[in-house]
Amino acid sequence: MPSRQDILNAKILVVDDSPDNIELMEEILREEGYTDVSSTMLPEQVCPLHREHNYDLILLDLQMPGLNGFQVMKGLKEIEQGGYLPVLALTAQPSFKIAALEAGARDFISKPFDLLEVHKRIHNMLEVRLLYKELAQYSRAQQELALHDALTGLPNRRLLEDRIETALQHANRNHHKAAVMYLDLDGFKAINDTYGHAYGDEILKMVSQRLLSNSRKEDTVARLGGDEFIVLLADVHSLGDAQGPAAKLVEALSEPFFVNDLRLQLSTSIGISLYPDDAENVVDLISIADYALYEAKRAGKNRYCANGSAARQAALAVKSAMPAPPSPAPASNVAPPAELVQHR
């Protein structure tokens, strides 16, 4: 619930073609303790001003030359996409009151002003407006939580699949390709089993930061769960455009991780699939990259595999519930097996 100080600090705009009315309303607001009050006599300025300042309350005279209050509210509706119009209509015409509410105003104040009515209606409307903004902010935060991994803050599978779908549409329109890199951590289970999940969680957060710092800004780095991640490369031209970044990630994740007094060593295995060469939909691209990851592990780990043809056949066979013998995969960036080294 908004505090009294929150209400007094709310941003208010007074709109009236009469300088006397503006002066009177500003004085009423100042005496009540409102700290952020501005005004204009030009109705055509209201929408640009609201776009810039996002007022919590607009005290709007309905009868003005040029644009009247109803026309101003029509323009404000285009800005307030959420549907809440923070307008308190000012009118001396009883017939305008219902019309103002139907046009989107939340309440009205009659002219000439009754001081008690002015204070009460302004306070009530600001209380509702600020509460509405708090709820909207909470809703956005909940939506972010629904689309992002709670531990790392990375996009989760739901958001990732939407990003891949968008990337495929873009690649199709522009006759480009897109790559999915599916990776997991070699030796991560040993860390969890030996040192506990708290250390494992720290490793996952560090891995996330390394993946982000070694990827392009336009790429998507997502966590699927456990120690599994996907990096989406949009707008590539060939498999080579994915192999370079994959090699970079293998090297980056082979560097030691320091957690408290421990020096922990990991590696990563990566499987790559390419659109449209390997598959033309999200599910199959992820499945093929997953099988290529399996091949990278079979070949010795700490490397990437992009054996698209064999991976495609095997992944689609698994999808059809048919047995599929694994094929040998080309390896790169071979390094010693992962190990745990205690820092002393």
Side-chain angles (χ1 to χ4, degrees):
M1 199 71 175
S3 67
R4 173 167 173 76
Q5 197 56 49
D6 290 334
I7 292 173
L8 293 177
N9 290 336
K11 290 184 285 186
I12 301 174
L13 177 67
V14 182
V15 186
D16 203 306
D17 63 317
S18 166
D20 292 338
N21 286 343
I22 283 183
E23 185 178 353
L24 174 60
M25 184 58 71
E26 286 181 334
E27 184 178 351
I28 291 172
L29 294 168
R30 278 196 303 269
E31 289 183 354
E32 185 65 13
Y34 292 99
T35 62
D36 193 348
V37 180
S38 55
S39 62
T40 181
M41 296 175 58
L42 302 174
E44 63 271 16
Q45 287 187 350
V46 175
C47 288
L49 285 171
H50 184 51
R51 218 178 254 112
E52 180 180 354
H53 299 287
N54 189 27
Y55 294 107
D56 298 304
L57 175 62
I58 300 174
L59 295 163
L60 178 64
D61 184 24
L62 295 180
Q63 292 177 284
M64 294 179 289
L67 286 176
N68 61 39
F70 296 100
Q71 292 168 311
V72 171
M73 282 191 281
K74 185 177 180 181
L76 289 171
K77 285 181 179 178
E78 298 178 4
I79 301 172
E80 290 288 339
Q81 297 296 328
Y84 189 98
L85 214 58
V87 171
L88 191 54
L90 309 176
T91 181
Q93 299 294 329
S95 61
F96 282 3
K97 294 178 182 179
I98 299 301
L101 296 175
E102 290 176 343
R106 292 293 157 178
D107 204 349
F108 57 83
I109 296 175
S110 301
K111 295 182 181 180
F113 299 139
D114 175 273
L115 200 57
L116 185 60
E117 179 192 17
V118 170
H119 287 321
K120 196 63 177 174
R121 291 187 186 274
I122 288 175
H123 179 278
N124 288 350
M125 180 151 172
L126 281 171
E127 190 173 58
V128 172
R129 170 63 169 177
L130 294 179
L131 182 59
Y132 179 87
K133 289 175 73 172
E134 285 180 6
L135 291 173
Q137 185 176 359
Y138 176 77
S139 177
R140 286 193 296 271
Q142 290 298 107
Q143 186 176 20
E144 283 294 301
L145 287 174
L147 296 175
H148 290 80
D149 174 59
L151 177 66
T152 64
L154 295 177
N156 60 16
R157 179 184 285 270
R158 178 180 170 190
L159 180 55
L160 170 69
E161 291 179 350
D162 182 70
R163 295 266 182 93
I164 296 176
E165 184 63 46
T166 300
L168 300 192
Q169 293 172 5
H170 179 79
N172 183 54
R173 284 195 303 269
N174 294 280
H175 306 290
H176 291 163
K177 300 179 187 295
V180 170
M181 298 195 301
Y182 199 132
L183 64 97
D184 75 2
L185 305 177
D186 308 321
F188 179 74
K189 184 177 183 300
I191 289 178
N192 263 347
D193 293 346
T194 304
Y195 300 107
H197 291 287
Y199 279 79
D201 286 349
E202 288 302 312
I203 289 289
L204 291 172
K205 288 188 279 189
M206 291 179 184
V207 166
S208 300
Q209 289 305 310
R210 289 194 192 180
L211 293 176
L212 288 170
S213 62
N214 287 279
S215 300
R216 304 175 303 178
K217 289 183 179 180
E218 61 267 31
D219 297 336
T220 294
V221 178
R223 181 186 177 212
L224 299 187
D227 63 336
E228 295 185 335
F229 298 82
I230 280 184
V231 180
L232 167 65
L233 305 177
D235 194 17
V236 299
H237 296 88
S238 68
L239 179 60
D241 292 337
Q243 289 173 319
K248 185 178 180 182
L249 294 181
V250 169
E251 182 179 358
L253 295 184
S254 68
E255 295 294 322
F257 293 86
F258 295 94
V259 183
N260 297 331
D261 60 341
L262 292 181
R263 179 181 184 270
L264 304 175
Q265 198 79 35
L266 292 171
S267 65
T268 187
S269 299
I270 302 176
I272 304 172
S273 63
L274 196 66
Y275 168 88
D277 305 53
D278 298 325
E280 297 186 358
N281 63 74
V282 175
V283 173
D284 288 346
L285 276 170
I286 293 176
S287 295
I288 291 168
D290 187 19
Y291 193 84
L293 164 63
Y294 170 74
E295 287 296 284
K297 285 186 172 295
R298 278 178 55 85
K301 304 181 180 179
N302 195 33
R303 66 193 67 212
Y304 66 81
C305 172
N307 193 355
S309 176
R312 179 169 63 254
Q313 292 175 10
L316 294 180
V318 169
K319 183 179 177 182
S320 303
M322 296 172 58
S327 308
S332 63
N333 294 325
V334 180
E339 60 177 350
L340 296 176
V341 182
Q342 186 167 358
H343 178 64
R344 296 186 182 275

